[in-house]
Amino acid sequence: MLEALVCPVTHAGLRYDAAAQELISEAAGLAFPIRDGIPIMLLGEARQIRA
């Protein structure tokens, strides 16, 4: 399923962080949460992973 998901900002691929339950967009510097097994791909829900 991960292959079908892309970052909504950059359209680049995502990396799964199992420990944090997040999908990481290295290109955008954002982490999108996964809640109850559902990726929340909304910009307002993402957290920045770099300054």
Side-chain angles (χ1 to χ4, degrees):
M1 179 74 159
L2 181 58
E3 297 84 28
L5 294 175
V6 295
C7 173
V9 177
T10 64
H11 304 287
L14 299 166
R15 177 177 56 84
Y16 175 56
D17 182 343
Q21 284 295 292
E22 294 177 323
L23 293 175
I24 308 296
S25 172
E26 301 287 348
L30 296 171
F32 296 93
I34 299 173
R35 295 189 190 123
D36 298 322
I38 300 169
I40 311 299
M41 303 302 293
L42 300 171
L43 202 52
E45 294 289 325
R47 68 174 182 87
Q48 291 206 340
I49 57 171
R50 64 176 179 220

